[in-house]
Amino acid sequence: MSESPLHVEIRDDIAVITVDQPGAAVNTIDRAMRDAFRQLFDELERDNRVKAAVLRSGKPDMFIAGADIEEFLAIESAREAESLSRDGHALLERIETHRVPVVAAIGGPCLGGALETVLACAWRVASDSSSTVLALPEVQLGLIPGAGGTQRLPRLVGLQAALDMILTGRNVRAKKALQIGLVHELVHPSILDRIALERAREFASGKRGRGTSDGTRRHGARELLLDDNRLGRSVVLRKAREATLKKTHGHFPAPLAALDAVAAGYSGSRENGYREEARLFGELAVSEVSRQLVFLFFATTALKKDPGVAPPVPEALPVRKIGVLGAGFMGAGIAGVAVGAGTIVRMKDADHGRVGRGLAAVRERLDERLRKRQITRQQLLDQMTLLGGTMAYTGFDDVDLVIEAVFEDLDIKRHVLREVEEVGPERMIVASNTSTIPIARIAEASRRPERVLGMHFFSPVHRMPLLEVIPHAGTAPRVTATAVAYGKKLGKTVIVVNDAPGFYVNRILAPYVGEAGRLLDEGAAIDAIDKAMMDAGFPVGPITLIDEVGLDIAGKSGAIMFEAFGERLAPSESLRRVVESGRSGRKGKSGFYSYDESGQKRDVDDSVYDLLPGGRERREIPPSEIQMRCLMAMANEAARCLESGIIRSPRDGDVGAVFGIGFPPFRGGPFRYLDSTGIASATRILESLYAKHTPRFEPAGILVEMARRGTRFYPERGHPLEPSGSGPAR
């Protein structure tokens, strides 16, 4: 059938099965593909001519990208999801035990259900292409592998290697896959199909026998000690559980469920393990955490296709070479990701020492990637050849884009903008990496303001996935589209944010950090505030965050926000006093916390309490109150940003909060959090807080109106990005 996702060619006694979903850029496992596999193996059972089969992809550099996540949205009950898992077990059991042994030819990503499928194959050949990665990423969606992955993988590669894959969702590259026994062979992409066909013929002729599922394991002394006896396995599983709880604070149930499923596979019959995997998969598939993580998957996928401007969408300009103004921490970080994306970079600063330190910082980051085997030595050398440093503007005469990352001062930013426009070409786009200063105020100094905008990276640049692109009212749409496209080339998740002090992410961060400061004013302990918010799901507490960002920067940003928004975002007395004391945070090894010589955070610096209202006499404020006040302050400000058009949609606001400041992903983002709380309930909470803490917490007008109308930001059922039909009044 022309529309079938499977195409079969019989070559003598070998069936070559090509997976190629019509009209799709990638292959995914959906109901149609599962049905096609069942039908195919029914036919192969009856066709005695066929002695072996090859499973390959018809998509270039793409095997199968896992399950079709859209299908999960239709699941209404745990029983339905459990049944789906059981069906997967039955299908792959059939492939594993079928009369016809299957050889998998893996070229490109082999993820989730695709990896579970090839684990059931008799032989696995992978291409050594850089695009070939194998992974079980289900945990990133709040799920566990549901087609036997928690059962087959440990027996194939060993318990520790399997847990590393299952609990993290981490990609395993082809060479590593061979080393741990995940694949049998590694070959050049040009001969992948030929070698797979040869192995199938060996199976067909009887020269190669079908092995057990753990036939590729590399047994070492450590593995024999820990994996292959009951006591050793219990130690591995216990330590994995302890590490998981320490990392997740219990907010993510999927890793713990995965450990339970793996343990069940060792503690009873084979069927016991599969039964437990299906049961746990069913429970997780309808859990609130999974729903939120699936939303984030769809939201980030949609942003990858979003050009950032309204139709008609102009074509983005090519960006072959960029200039970076400022070789400090941010400038070097931007230069590092740019050369990693293949861009020629000229990095400028005021003196040799700063330029040299910037170049060294880029090299240090590339050395780190080399140590982690993320790049080869040749790639490191190639990327360093793309980077040059200068104290003048030499090499800026042909740049396509300049990213300014100088000190957060309006006059300095205007000065370097004028300078670079004197030497750069007419086509040059100038982007400021400012975190709070309105772009329009910077663009006032430009001769070509239509080619000026903001590109706000987050620190550290190589780790933080978000990029805010900020056009001002006069920015040309093509300039915005170019910045968005280039941000995606750098591997960033890009949201377009309208121009205003603090833009979006720092705007919603201000009341969150500000409320933590107010709690200090009221006598809360520094570590109590941080612990409460980490227990709520944030990666670090707000006081630690202030130290990390830098107290001087926090003080300057706070002043800008106070000037723009008045008493509602006034800095706390505690923060003001600590900033005025000259403490700068981690970089100066003096802040709310103490630091060792290497800059590693230690305990609270008790002497800082002498600067705060109330001194060292601290009082206990319930963690629930700390969490509610900080979360509601941020969520309310996010609603204000949507109301005033700072962000284009709740989707952008949620992604920006999660990827920009670590808003707990299991809550989905501030707008998903408001929906989960209930708009009416959230508004009542804000009104109660406003009565106690005027002028803070006055509910955003959009929330008051939505509470009156009984509406929400997202649909209660169906696709999370479809209009709810009852969304916010705009």
Side-chain angles (χ1 to χ4, degrees):
M1 293 176 59
S2 61
E3 290 301 304
S4 173
L6 302 182
H7 308 276
V8 183
E9 178 187 357
I10 306 298
R11 300 184 188 177
D12 299 324
D13 54 357
I14 307 298
V16 178
I17 307 165
T18 299
V19 181
D20 196 354
Q21 284 181 316
V26 299
N27 293 317
T28 56
I29 300 173
D30 57 9
R31 182 181 297 277
M33 185 176 290
R34 294 192 297 271
D35 290 345
F37 266 114
R38 291 189 188 93
Q39 180 180 343
L40 171 62
F41 277 86
D42 283 344
E43 294 170 357
L44 293 179
E45 192 69 52
R46 296 190 295 268
D47 191 344
N48 291 324
R49 296 174 303 159
V50 177
K51 306 297 183 185
V54 170
L55 179 64
R56 62 180 299 276
S57 170
K59 309 287 187 190
D61 296 319
M62 166 58 67
F63 187 65
I64 304 173
D68 181 0
I69 309 302
E70 295 274 356
E71 289 193 344
F72 290 171
L73 300 177
I75 295 175
E76 296 186 353
S77 68
R79 179 174 295 183
E80 184 181 348
E82 181 178 347
S83 177
L84 185 66
S85 176
R86 288 183 178 278
D87 288 347
H89 292 162
L91 177 58
L92 297 192
E93 175 76 9
R94 191 172 184 196
I95 292 175
E96 187 174 43
T97 61
H98 198 275
R99 176 185 65 81
V100 177
V102 179
V103 175
I106 307 165
C110 175
L111 310 176
L115 179 53
E116 292 180 286
T117 299
V118 302
L119 291 178
C121 293
W123 199 258
R124 290 168 293 282
V125 185
S127 80
D128 61 4
S129 166
S130 60
S131 67
T132 299
V133 293
L134 301 92
L136 292 173
E138 288 86 352
V139 70
Q140 296 170 3
L141 297 176
L143 301 168
I144 62 172
T150 66
Q151 306 303 302
R152 287 190 177 92
L153 187 63
R155 288 168 172 77
L156 180 69
V157 302
L159 180 58
Q160 290 180 301
L163 290 180
D164 184 59
M165 292 182 65
I166 294 170
L167 298 181
T168 67
R170 185 179 294 127
N171 285 343
V172 174
R173 298 198 175 275
K175 185 177 179 181
K176 179 71 172 180
L178 180 67
Q179 291 171 345
I180 66 174
L182 188 53
V183 300
H184 297 83
E185 291 181 85
L186 202 59
V187 301
H188 192 275
S190 64
I191 61 171
L192 175 63
D193 287 342
R194 177 168 67 81
I195 297 300
L197 189 60
E198 286 180 10
R199 298 296 172 263
R201 286 178 175 143
E202 291 170 3
F203 278 105
S205 66
K207 291 181 180 178
R208 186 178 297 276
R210 190 199 296 261
T212 60
S213 63
D214 62 349
T216 60
R217 285 181 66 180
R218 274 63 166 165
H219 290 271
R222 179 179 174 84
E223 183 182 64
L224 288 170
L225 179 65
L226 294 177
D227 286 15
D228 294 346
N229 70 84
R230 181 178 299 176
L231 179 60
R233 289 194 300 269
S234 68
V235 170
V236 173
L237 289 166
R238 176 173 54 81
K239 288 189 174 298
R241 182 174 295 274
E242 290 171 356
T244 297
L245 284 169
K246 182 178 180 181
K247 182 178 180 180
T248 67
H249 295 266
H251 292 305
F252 296 88
L256 299 174
L259 286 167
D260 289 341
V262 170
Y266 284 108
S267 62
S269 65
R270 186 172 188 268
E271 291 72 22
N272 181 58
Y274 282 94
R275 183 168 55 249
E276 188 68 358
E277 180 187 87
R279 183 186 71 79
L280 292 167
F281 178 86
E283 290 179 358
L284 292 168
V286 293
S287 68
E288 180 65 16
V289 170
S290 181
R291 296 292 191 196
Q292 301 294 10
L293 296 178
V294 167
F295 155 73
L296 288 171
F297 168 82
F298 282 117
T300 53
T301 300
L303 279 167
K304 290 176 183 177
K305 303 173 185 177
D306 188 337
V309 295
V313 178
E315 183 181 0
L317 296 165
V319 178
R320 181 187 63 88
K321 180 178 180 180
I322 72 168
V324 176
L325 301 180
F329 185 71
M330 289 301 294
I334 294 166
V337 298
V339 296
T343 308
I344 301 169
V345 178
R346 292 291 286 174
M347 185 164 55
K348 179 194 178 298
D349 213 312
D351 62 54
H352 281 301
R354 292 178 188 171
V355 174
R357 286 190 292 273
L359 294 173
V362 175
R363 176 59 189 253
E364 184 179 344
R365 168 61 188 143
L366 293 178
D367 284 339
E368 180 185 354
R369 295 196 68 202
L370 179 65
R371 287 193 300 272
K372 293 180 177 180
R373 299 184 179 180
Q374 296 172 343
I375 57 173
T376 65
R377 181 161 295 279
Q378 186 58 54
Q379 287 173 315
L380 182 152
L381 295 174
D382 290 344
Q383 290 177 27
M384 283 303 297
T385 62
L386 295 172
L387 179 64
T390 179
M391 292 192 306
Y393 284 98
T394 53
F396 276 70
D397 58 335
D398 61 346
V399 296
D400 304 301
L401 168 68
V402 167
I403 301 175
E404 165 267 300
V406 300
F407 190 68
E408 192 76 348
D409 181 277
L410 178 60
D411 291 336
I412 295 174
K413 290 179 181 295
R414 285 174 168 175
H415 176 72
V416 297
L417 172 58
R418 294 189 193 99
E419 282 189 342
V420 76
E421 284 189 340
E422 289 296 325
V423 296
E426 288 288 321
R427 70 173 187 278
M428 179 183 69
I429 295 170
V430 180
S432 175
N433 184 53
T434 178
S435 57
T436 53
I437 301 173
I439 303 302
R441 297 189 65 188
I442 298 172
E444 288 170 356
S446 173
R447 291 190 286 116
R448 298 184 291 273
E450 73 281 358
R451 304 187 78 77
V452 177
L453 79 171
M455 290 180 72
H456 179 209
F457 293 83
F458 293 80
S459 178
V461 179
H462 66 279
R463 287 185 188 160
M464 296 299 287
L466 188 72
L467 171 65
E468 285 182 314
V469 168
I470 310 108
H472 64 88
T475 302
R478 194 175 191 188
V479 170
T480 303
T482 299
V484 170
Y486 186 64
K488 293 175 186 176
K489 182 180 178 181
L490 298 182
K492 300 301 181 184
T493 298
V494 185
I495 61 171
V496 175
V497 179
N498 279 331
D499 190 23
F503 315 126
Y504 172 67
V505 171
N506 282 342
R507 165 88 173 269
I508 66 171
L509 186 62
Y512 169 75
V513 170
E515 199 57 33
R518 297 288 183 177
L519 287 158
L520 286 178
D521 292 351
E522 295 170 24
I526 293 166
D527 48 355
I529 296 171
D530 276 351
K531 183 179 186 303
M533 297 319 298
M534 290 181 69
D535 287 345
F538 285 84
V540 298
I543 311 301
T544 295
L545 182 62
I546 296 171
D547 263 10
E548 290 286 334
V549 169
L551 285 161
D552 53 340
I553 294 173
K556 185 176 282 289
S557 298
I560 291 172
M561 301 303 283
F562 177 43
E563 179 185 353
F565 301 105
E567 195 63 30
R568 184 169 56 82
L569 294 187
S572 69
E573 183 67 15
S574 293
L575 181 58
R576 185 187 65 77
R577 292 184 185 184
V578 175
V579 170
E580 289 178 354
S581 75
R583 296 182 183 225
S584 59
R586 180 179 176 180
K587 62 186 175 186
K589 302 183 180 62
S590 175
F592 287 98
Y593 288 86
S594 59
Y595 299 86
D596 63 22
E597 285 303 312
S598 66
Q600 291 298 308
K601 188 181 83 167
R602 303 179 72 178
D603 297 327
V604 171
D605 183 349
D606 287 337
S607 67
V608 79
Y609 284 126
D610 296 333
L611 301 170
L612 308 187
R616 301 197 181 201
E617 291 296 322
R618 299 285 103 185
R619 71 181 183 91
E620 185 174 341
I621 297 179
S624 59
E625 180 181 342
I626 295 172
Q627 292 166 354
M628 183 61 69
R629 285 170 60 175
C630 290
L631 278 166
M632 277 297 172
M634 180 182 287
N636 192 38
E637 199 66 31
R640 289 179 182 274
C641 288
L642 180 64
E643 184 177 41
S644 61
I646 299 300
I647 50 175
R648 299 176 297 165
S649 65
R651 176 203 70 181
D652 289 8
D654 283 334
V655 170
V658 171
F659 288 90
I661 53 178
F663 190 95
F666 63 87
R667 300 183 191 274
F671 294 98
R672 302 281 294 186
Y673 171 67
L674 288 166
D675 271 356
S676 297
T677 303
I679 303 299
S681 294
T683 303
R684 286 194 295 271
I685 292 169
L686 286 166
E687 288 170 343
S688 175
L689 289 170
Y690 179 52
K692 297 176 184 177
H693 305 288
T694 305
R696 309 190 312 280
F697 294 109
E698 181 178 7
I702 190 175
L703 295 179
V704 174
E705 177 62 14
M706 290 175 69
R708 185 186 66 78
R709 295 170 58 220
T711 59
R712 49 190 291 128
F713 291 105
Y714 294 97
E716 195 162 7
R717 303 181 66 82
H719 198 291
L721 297 186
E722 298 221 345
S724 67
S726 62
R730 299 298 302 275

